[in-house]
Amino acid sequence: MPELPEVETIVRGLRTVLPGHTIVSVRLGKTDFIEDPAALGELLPGRHIEAVERMGKFIRLALSPGPAAKSPERHIDLIVHLGMTGWLGVRRPEDPVAPHTHAFFELEDGRELRYTDIRRFGQMRLVAGDQFGAFGEKLGKEPLETSAAEFNQRLAGRRARIKALLLDQSVFRGIGNIYADESLWQARIHPARLAANLKPAELERLRKAIRRVLLRAIEDRGSSISNFVDAEGQPGEYQQRHRAYDREGKPCFRCGTKIRRAIVAGRSSYFCPRCQPPPWLKRAVRKARKVRV
DNA sequence: AGCTCTTCCTGAAAGC
DNA sequence: TGCTTTCAGGAAGAGC
């Protein structure tokens, strides 16, 4: 499932082959994941691809009007979210078309940008250039660009479970289930802890853990779960470094205790019950101490 | 505010 | 073996 490192990997791949090229036509298959399918065919032909950027889990293709564009007055962004199984990459027309490929953007040099998405949980939409800022404001901070003060402030006083807040894209953008669990394991924090109850040292461990995990995962070109491959079609390698995610029943890399799985914030959550003591256990310990006093 | 449930969709895996 | 059922999951919306 593409999260920040996987999306970053796709974006870096596209960045080497897309900018400077022009979209000449658009072909669509199923369109239920596209906000306004007709607008793609109307507004994109003739546009230059200026830049490819990532915002959390969103991909932004910045499209300048170009001389042949039909609405030359406006800069447009094509915003793509890969959902669970989305993939975006450039192929030659004669290359085999992967099943569930639903959008083809033909370029002036004959190649085509293709969007493939088995489950179609992805999203595709056009945003006028002057509205892009507003779109981004609804999202939280980039976790790799968040200072300690900002990080603590975002979580301060929140009574929600830390896992729920890490998954909430309006708090931080780009973290999903895998990297939330990996970061919490690294920081030795149970996913069901309430953010407001985290001590300053725990918050600092968590912030650093998120940075470490995401940077390392980007270096490894993401985790290949659910058949994730980068824009060139190569799998990532970070799944070999997973310490918690999808490791139920396997020994914790730190203490050997069996990794457990529980539903937290509506998601499968993997953690070490010893390194990441659950909040109810902490409560019980506190109570016991009080009774003794 | 924050939790749970539901919806979207497909393929893998489990159940029979 | 082969068919049927269940489940996972990012995000958004409803209801509590």
Side-chain angles (χ1 to χ4, degrees):
Chain A
M1 48 228 70
E3 304 179 25
L4 188 154
E6 290 77 27
V7 178
E8 180 67 23
T9 300
I10 291 265
V11 163
R12 287 183 181 186
L14 294 177
R15 206 175 269 151
T16 65
V17 292
L18 276 183
H21 291 280
T22 303
I23 296 172
V24 295
S25 64
V26 177
R27 282 183 291 128
L28 301 176
K30 292 187 180 176
T31 58
D32 53 0
F33 61 98
I34 305 174
E35 188 180 61
D36 184 353
L40 295 188
E42 285 165 21
L43 299 176
L44 296 192
R47 286 188 174 266
H48 286 311
I49 302 171
E50 285 196 322
V52 185
E53 287 163 14
R54 179 187 61 74
M55 268 187 69
K57 300 178 196 172
F58 289 89
I59 297 167
R60 171 195 185 207
L61 296 194
L63 305 171
S64 66
K70 285 199 179 147
S71 53
E73 74 281 2
R74 277 194 151 179
H75 181 99
I76 285 180
D77 290 314
L78 174 64
I79 308 292
V80 180
H81 192 296
L82 302 177
M84 289 285 301
T85 52
W87 177 87
L88 204 50
V90 175
R91 292 283 124 113
R92 306 216 57 90
E94 62 269 25
D95 291 333
V97 174
H100 307 287
T101 299
H102 296 298
F104 302 78
F105 302 89
E106 289 145 2
L107 306 177
E108 90 293 344
D109 62 1
R111 298 175 306 160
E112 48 195 31
L113 173 65
R114 295 179 184 172
Y115 179 73
T116 303
D117 191 347
I118 298 170
R119 296 184 192 173
R120 303 203 303 287
F121 275 19
Q123 304 167 35
M124 203 175 273
R125 74 179 80 171
L126 294 180
V127 174
D130 53 0
Q131 291 165 20
F132 185 68
F135 175 82
E137 272 169 32
K138 286 184 237 158
L139 292 172
K141 288 213 61 95
E142 279 292 329
L144 290 176
E145 295 166 13
T146 304
S147 71
E150 287 169 325
F151 184 84
N152 294 350
Q153 186 238 317
R154 291 249 154 196
L155 299 176
R158 298 292 302 264
R159 302 291 302 166
R161 303 178 191 284
I162 186 62
K163 171 89 182 244
L165 293 172
L166 292 182
L167 294 179
D168 184 340
Q169 300 299 297
S170 70
V171 178
F172 301 110
R173 59 190 194 214
I175 302 173
N177 207 31
I178 295 174
Y179 297 103
D181 278 5
E182 290 302 310
S183 301
L184 288 167
W185 182 89
Q186 289 276 348
R188 308 194 303 281
I189 295 170
H190 191 282
R193 297 275 302 281
L194 302 187
N197 292 346
L198 295 178
K199 300 188 197 93
E202 291 177 316
L203 284 169
E204 187 55 12
R205 284 212 305 271
L206 181 56
R207 191 183 70 89
K208 286 184 174 162
I210 291 169
R211 284 190 66 82
R212 201 181 316 128
V213 165
L214 292 179
L215 288 171
R216 181 72 225 196
I218 290 170
E219 262 182 63
D220 283 345
R221 298 177 0 273
S223 302
S224 282
I225 305 275
S226 296
N227 305 319
F228 169 79
V229 290
D230 67 15
E232 286 81 46
Q234 295 301 309
E237 284 167 4
Y238 192 75
Q239 67 280 4
Q240 293 166 22
R241 292 185 202 278
H242 289 179
R243 293 294 184 258
Y245 183 79
D246 205 22
R247 294 196 67 247
E248 183 179 18
K250 293 180 182 158
C252 171
F253 275 84
R254 254 187 320 249
C255 75
T257 305
K258 283 184 178 176
I259 295 292
R260 294 257 295 273
R261 173 180 177 269
I263 301 297
V264 178
R267 291 277 167 267
S268 281
S269 300
Y270 301 88
F271 57 92
C272 170
R274 184 164 166 192
C275 297
Q276 299 165 266
W280 47 89
L281 189 65
K282 288 187 171 275
R283 260 201 306 276
V285 168
R286 209 155 42 224
K287 222 180 209 170
R289 281 209 198 102
K290 229 179 241 171
V291 168
R292 235 182 288 138
V293 173

